[in-house]
Amino acid sequence: MHYSPRNNSTYRPFPGDEHLVVKFFIDDRKNEKLTRERGYAVYENVEMVSINVPGDKQLTINAPANSSCTMPSGDQVRYCERFPEDYERFQSGQGAAITGLPLKHCPFLSKAEVSMLEAQNIYSVEQLSDMGGAPLRNLGPSGRKWQQQALAFLQTAEGSRDALADAEDKAAMKARIEALEAALERANTGEDDPRVALKDKIEELTGARPKGNPSVETLEKTLSELQPQGV
């Protein structure tokens, strides 16, 4: 069984962006033109984006959110369009989008190890499990062990999820079968047929049970004729 952490990642429309740590924020930028015109420092709020690669503290991009970057295809794309869900979260006042199991809830890492990994821009078990190459080597001698532990943890969780789903499916199937069997039994015994009770009453009064499958109306009429007035 192969676990693919990208299946649970924050939506990113461009391949390769799935596990980048992206944060939009407001920064004060000096407006050089207004500063020259007014003779004192003038600042304005600018929407910015910070992009980090998990495990690589050296590779960080800080740029205006509305500025453009060049994709591998050669297309020019604004950062706010490259990371639309992250930008939407920023505009709605939410924090950076980290989807998955936070490292602080991870059962195989100590608090110190979590702090060290977060300092390397790694915040979730999914990010850790998907690491490789230079970023993984940057974690030192324990990096490979942590990555394998994260991958094993997620694979086990996926197996448990599949087992639970199978058990729920079997339970639902069993319930449907039992309901069908009960309905069939009622149909065979006539428990739900009002004619059964009418035939019982006629048999009590006459000593003979009506034969065949007369209608409810016919049986009610027969019973009414057999019963004394006022009953």
Side-chain angles (χ1 to χ4, degrees), residues 129-218:
S129 72
D130 200 46
M131 293 187 65
L136 181 59
R137 291 193 294 273
N138 290 341
L139 297 181
S142 297
R144 177 64 63 181
K145 179 191 71 173
W146 293 331
Q147 188 267 344
Q148 290 298 310
Q149 286 177 324
L151 185 59
F153 175 85
L154 293 172
Q155 288 175 333
T156 301
E158 185 174 9
S160 299
R161 180 202 65 193
D162 293 342
L164 179 60
D166 289 342
E168 290 175 345
D169 289 343
K170 289 177 180 178
M173 179 63 72
K174 181 180 179 181
R176 288 196 293 270
I177 291 174
E178 290 176 347
L180 289 172
E181 289 176 343
L184 180 59
E185 182 177 355
R186 289 195 299 270
N188 290 336
T189 59
E191 290 180 9
D192 290 341
D193 192 339
R195 293 176 298 181
V196 173
L198 292 170
K199 285 183 177 183
D200 289 342
K201 291 181 179 180
I202 293 173
E203 185 177 9
E204 290 177 4
L205 294 172
T206 64
R209 190 175 187 81
K211 297 181 179 180
N213 294 304
S215 66
V216 173
E217 291 77 9
T218 299

Side-chain angles (χ1 to χ4, degrees), residues 46-227:
V46 178
E47 291 184 346
M48 301 289 293
V49 63
S50 172
I51 304 172
N52 292 282
V53 177
D56 192 340
K57 295 179 65 176
Q58 304 303 316
L59 184 55
T60 300
I61 296 175
N62 286 290
N66 285 309
S67 63
S68 297
C69 59
T70 303
M71 303 303 294
S73 62
D75 295 332
Q76 293 288 313
V77 179
R78 294 191 303 163
Y79 286 106
C80 57
E81 295 171 342
R82 179 177 175 181
F83 306 106
E85 189 170 307
D86 302 86
Y87 185 63
E88 183 179 348
R89 287 173 59 87
F90 157 69
Q91 290 190 314
S92 64
Q94 302 181 56
I98 300 297
T99 303
L101 178 65
L103 292 181
K104 63 183 179 180
H105 297 307
C106 182
F108 56 84
L109 292 173
S110 68
K111 186 175 180 180
E113 289 171 336
V114 170
S115 298
M116 191 276 286
L117 289 169
E118 289 182 344
Q120 297 285 335
N121 299 313
I122 304 167
Y123 298 97
S124 72
V125 176
E126 288 80 358
Q127 288 177 323
L128 181 57
S129 72
D130 200 46
M131 293 187 65
L136 181 59
R137 291 193 294 273
N138 290 341
L139 297 181
S142 297
R144 177 64 63 181
K145 179 191 71 173
W146 293 331
Q147 188 267 344
Q148 290 298 310
Q149 286 177 324
L151 185 59
F153 175 85
L154 293 172
Q155 288 175 333
T156 301
E158 185 174 9
S160 299
R161 180 202 65 193
D162 293 342
L164 179 60
D166 289 342
E168 290 175 345
D169 289 343
K170 289 177 180 178
M173 179 63 72
K174 181 180 179 181
R176 288 196 293 270
I177 291 174
E178 290 176 347
L180 289 172
E181 289 176 343
L184 180 59
E185 182 177 355
R186 289 195 299 270
N188 290 336
T189 59
E191 290 180 9
D192 290 341
D193 192 339
R195 293 176 298 181
V196 173
L198 292 170
K199 285 183 177 183
D200 289 342
K201 291 181 179 180
I202 293 173
E203 185 177 9
E204 290 177 4
L205 294 172
T206 64
R209 190 175 187 81
K211 297 181 179 180
N213 294 304
S215 66
V216 173
E217 291 77 9
T218 299
L219 291 171
E220 288 178 339
K221 181 179 180 181
T222 301
L223 182 59
S224 177
E225 293 172 350
L226 291 172
Q227 289 177 328

